Amino acid sequence: QVQLVESGGGLVQAGGSLRLSCAASGRTLSTYGMGWFRQAPGKEREFVARISWSGGTTYYADSVKGRFAISRDVAKNTVSLQLNSLKPEDTAVYFCAAARTEYPLGPARRDDVGYWGQGTRVTVSS
């Protein structure tokens, strides 16, 4: 079993930046493709970014490409999401996710996910 705990959420103004972190317990994350999803009030959980098990390949949703950056630190057993140029529409609860083993590039959709974190809230004010 893998337990994922997110941190780093908070209140920021539009145009600001925030860095989210995901720490694992139970098992190392080194063998998992990882990703971030988000869910705004009244909306379905949506894909944000993913990173391969090796850390060499990343992929982003069109809505965040060029603004967000996903990375992983194998030594610290963590995955991070850097959020830059934040917009009010980025307001959501952000979830860390570990992909099922058949998705080494990371999860691109909800059904690809094997483990979820409990989420960290990001609020962007106008």
Side-chain angles (χ1 to χ4, degrees):
Q1 282 272 351
V2 173
Q3 290 80 47
L4 305 173
V5 180
E6 303 93 336
S7 63
L11 300 172
V12 296
Q13 293 184 338
S17 298
L18 207 60
R19 187 173 182 86
L20 309 181
S21 294
C22 173
S25 63
R27 296 289 300 275
T28 178
L29 298 181
S30 63
T31 60
Y32 295 91
M34 301 295 296
W36 288 90
F37 291 71
R38 67 186 182 186
Q39 188 166 21
K43 294 186 177 181
E44 295 184 350
R45 193 170 300 184
E46 65 177 359
F47 167 78
V48 175
R50 70 179 184 184
I51 187 167
S52 63
W53 66 267
S54 67
T57 302
T58 59
Y59 183 76
Y60 300 89
D62 289 341
S63 60
V64 306
K65 191 172 185 178
R67 299 189 299 121
F68 292 5
I70 188 171
S71 61
R72 66 191 308 164
D73 189 327
V74 175
K76 295 181 179 179
N77 205 29
T78 60
V79 179
S80 298
L81 184 70
Q82 179 68 41
L83 296 75
N84 297 322
S85 301
L86 284 163
K87 305 174 181 179
E89 51 262 45
D90 294 320
T91 295
V93 175
Y94 284 71
F95 297 89
C96 180
R100 295 164 59 90
T101 56
E102 59 263 44
Y103 302 106
L105 297 180
R109 56 187 65 83
R110 289 168 290 177
D111 288 348
D112 298 343
V113 176
Y115 301 95
W116 293 101
Q118 293 187 346
T120 186
R121 189 178 302 276
V122 172
T123 302
V124 184
S125 62
S126 300

